[in-house]
Amino acid sequence: TNPQAESAAVLGQTLAAGDVSWTVTDPTEETELHAYTFPPKSVPGSYVSMAFTVENDSEEPVTLTGDTMTLLDASGIEYQPEPDRNSTFVRPELNILFNEHSLLEPGETKEGRVNFEVLPRASGFVVLLGDTDPTTSGGEYVDLGF
């Protein structure tokens, strides 16, 4: 099991990380990603996909990036969400880590979705939800349960 999982929060719990609050829901393991664009295409592989809600708790606008979420498996390998595994597979209004929807005004809440490409047969996943301030290394862990 992942050592981070011992202190991790459970799914659906809202966690504050610096300027933002996160709630992660509905994580799934996928063997392929399906594009929402036409013509439909799919890319086989090993993926972890999840929905999330993020709220700007600060008095200033904040910008989300792919660096604000990190997935870790039981062996400690870190995975970052890649733009090419999200941009054609997550509808633009939910792809808020990688597009113009990444800006949150003070008090604003947005829903998002993210895909991580992972090693085959990896398990024991926790997601690290970070602050939007790149100078801080803190964050909160959520145990995905698989």
Side-chain angles (χ1 to χ4, degrees):
T1 61
N2 194 319
Q4 260 57 1
E6 291 174 19
S7 59
V10 294
L11 281 169
Q13 192 173 342
T14 300
L15 300 167
D19 291 340
V20 292
S21 291
W22 299 90
T23 309
V24 173
T25 55
D26 191 30
T28 56
E29 292 182 276
E30 305 290 342
T31 55
E32 59 184 1
L33 297 178
H34 298 281
Y36 69 89
T37 52
F38 192 85
K41 65 173 182 174
S42 61
V43 178
S46 296
Y47 304 97
V48 171
S49 179
M50 69 192 78
F52 62 91
T53 304
V54 59
E55 180 178 2
N56 179 359
D57 297 329
S58 75
E59 304 294 316
E60 302 288 329
V62 297
T63 301
L64 303 173
T65 67
D67 295 333
T68 49
M69 293 181 94
T70 305
L71 191 70
L72 295 91
D73 68 18
S75 59
I77 296 172
E78 293 188 6
Y79 306 95
Q80 295 294 144
E82 299 292 334
D84 66 347
R85 289 294 179 252
N86 285 276
S87 295
T88 55
F89 302 100
V90 177
R91 293 185 181 281
E93 64 273 17
L94 295 176
N95 191 30
I96 62 175
L97 297 181
F98 294 106
N99 64 21
E100 68 277 7
H101 297 289
S102 64
L103 178 70
L104 274 75
E105 296 298 334
E108 186 174 14
T109 300
K110 286 188 179 176
E111 291 182 24
R113 183 151 203 98
V114 63
N115 299 316
F116 293 87
E117 189 164 13
V118 299
L119 289 173
R121 294 180 297 284
S123 64
F125 293 107
V126 295
V127 63
L128 173 60
L129 306 169
D131 190 352
T132 55
D133 179 352
T135 63
T136 62
S137 60
E140 297 288 337
Y141 292 95
V142 176
D143 186 352
L144 300 188
F146 55 79

